[in-house]
Amino acid sequence: MGVVSGFIKYSMFVFNFIFWVCGSIILGIAIYARTSKIGQEIIRGEASGMNTRTAANLLIAVGTIIMVLGFLGCCGALKENRCMLLLFFVGLLVIVIIQIVVGVVGLSFKTKIEKAFKKSFEHEVMTLSKDDPQSQTFQKNLEKMQEKFKCCGLIRGAADWGKNFNKYGGSCECTSSVLNDCVDYPGKHVYRESCGQHIINYLKKNMVIVAGVAFGVAVIEILGLIFSYVLWRQIGPN
């Protein structure tokens, strides 16, 4: 058996313990979202049912995989087991490759995703000027969104409401002291930004955060690959 560096060995253990804890947290949150009363209500929603269920199942799978890899890494480091370390290395390498592929695909489809949102908004905006019960449900939901996020309409602003502006325009009234936040619309001072644009801007902002987190995670994962390989080499064949 080769000479094993204590620093590498215990660094691997600490890294994988943190890895295991993160997997446990992800798994716990995903299971709660999948089985809790609130989670079930979201899943049963007309607009988000399939996507929410799929996302919860995917997180359960990811959390489980991370926990298994963390366990292999911890035990492989402490017991100086080459087989466990090799399984950990291969599993983590596969995850890193998948992350790279998903990142490249995500960047290439970024513009298409934004266009898809805008196309969806163009379809939904027609319901704002209707009076049927189904349209009224969507209108009330948008009204709540206007109050919460300080926006108005879905694409073009207050004009999207048409004849229903007097009914729902109260939530559009601009109270901001920033001049560019507001615009005059017949009879009212309303928010300039549409709720559709607010959603797109929010997604863009969070995509930058997600990309930063993903980069940080990738660096940690690469360190894990290096440490496991070095430790695997130091242990040597039995």
Side-chain angles (χ1 to χ4, degrees), residues 202-223:
Y202 178 82
L203 290 172
K204 285 181 177 179
K205 181 180 177 182
N206 281 275
M207 281 181 72
V208 173
I209 296 173
V210 169
V213 172
F215 177 77
V217 170
V219 170
I220 295 172
E221 289 171 343
I222 290 171
L223 287 174

Side-chain angles (χ1 to χ4, degrees), residues 15 92 96 100 215 217-228:
F15 166 81
L92 192 56
V96 171
I100 293 172
F215 177 77
V217 170
V219 170
I220 295 172
E221 289 171 343
I222 290 171
L223 287 174
L225 288 172
I226 294 171
F227 279 12
S228 61

Side-chain angles (χ1 to χ4, degrees), residues 96-117:
V96 171
I97 292 172
I98 291 173
Q99 284 180 202
I100 293 172
V101 172
V102 170
V104 171
V105 172
L107 288 174
S108 64
F109 281 93
K110 183 179 177 182
T111 304
K112 292 183 179 179
I113 292 171
E114 184 175 340
K115 287 181 179 178
F117 268 101

Side-chain angles (χ1 to χ4, degrees), residues 1 3 37 77-78 81 88 95 97 128-129 135 138 151-152 168 177 200 214 230 235:
M1 183 175 291
V3 179
K37 183 178 179 181
L78 283 181
N81 187 302
F88 169 81
I95 289 177
I97 292 172
L128 298 184
S129 57
S135 296
F138 179 77
C151 54
C152 188
Y168 296 102
S177 58
I200 290 172
V230 171
I235 293 171

Side-chain angles (χ1 to χ4, degrees), residues 15-28:
F15 166 81
N16 283 286
F17 180 74
I18 295 172
F19 204 52
W20 181 84
V21 169
C22 290
S24 301
I25 293 172
I26 292 172
L27 182 61

Side-chain angles (χ1 to χ4, degrees), residues 10-235:
Y10 290 107
S11 293
M12 265 291 293
F13 173 78
V14 171
F15 166 81
N16 283 286
F17 180 74
I18 295 172
F19 204 52
W20 181 84
V21 169
C22 290
S24 301
I25 293 172
I26 292 172
L27 182 61
I29 292 173
I31 291 174
Y32 176 78
R34 189 73 173 79
T35 60
S36 68
K37 183 178 179 181
I38 295 174
Q40 289 298 314
E41 287 177 356
I42 293 173
I43 287 173
R44 282 195 295 267
E46 291 183 13
S48 60
M50 182 62 70
N51 291 335
T52 305
R53 185 182 292 108
T54 303
N57 291 338
L58 181 61
L59 284 176
I60 289 173
V62 169
T64 302
I65 291 169
I66 290 175
M67 282 184 66
V68 171
L69 286 178
F71 173 79
L72 288 172
C74 283
C75 291
L78 283 181
K79 293 181 177 294
E80 298 181 11
N81 187 302
R82 296 188 92 217
C83 181
M84 285 185 171
L85 288 173
L86 183 60
L87 288 172
F88 169 81
F89 180 88
V90 172
L92 192 56
L93 181 62
V94 170
I95 289 177
V96 171
I97 292 172
I98 291 173
Q99 284 180 202
I100 293 172
V101 172
V102 170
V104 171
V105 172
L107 288 174
S108 64
F109 281 93
K110 183 179 177 182
T111 304
K112 292 183 179 179
I113 292 171
E114 184 175 340
K115 287 181 179 178
F117 268 101
K118 288 181 177 179
K119 187 175 181 179
S120 175
F121 294 150
E122 288 173 0
H123 174 73
E124 296 292 348
V125 76
M126 295 184 291
T127 65
L128 298 184
S129 57
K130 295 180 180 179
D131 296 321
D132 58 279
Q134 188 174 354
S135 296
Q136 288 176 3
T137 300
F138 179 77
Q139 290 162 9
K140 289 176 181 177
N141 289 333
L142 184 59
E143 182 183 32
K144 292 177 183 177
M145 187 175 180
Q146 289 179 159
E147 292 175 351
K148 184 175 182 179
F149 297 111
K150 312 300 182 186
C151 54
C152 188
L154 200 55
I155 298 176
R156 298 179 298 274
D160 291 340
W161 286 104
K163 63 182 181 181
N164 286 326
F165 177 73
N166 290 331
K167 184 178 180 180
Y168 296 102
S171 58
C172 279
E173 288 191 51
C174 185
T175 57
S176 174
S177 58
V178 180
L179 184 62
N180 289 335
D181 285 352
C182 308
V183 64
D184 288 324
Y185 189 76
K188 290 187 183 293
H189 201 48
V190 300
Y191 287 104
R192 181 187 300 273
E193 184 181 49
S194 68
C195 293
Q197 190 59 49
H198 177 86
I199 292 171
I200 290 172
N201 291 340
Y202 178 82
L203 290 172
K204 285 181 177 179
K205 181 180 177 182
N206 281 275
M207 281 181 72
V208 173
I209 296 173
V210 169
V213 172
F215 177 77
V217 170
V219 170
I220 295 172
E221 289 171 343
I222 290 171
L223 287 174
L225 288 172
I226 294 171
F227 279 12
S228 61
Y229 176 74
V230 171
L231 188 58
W232 181 81
R233 290 292 302 271
Q234 288 183 349
I235 293 171

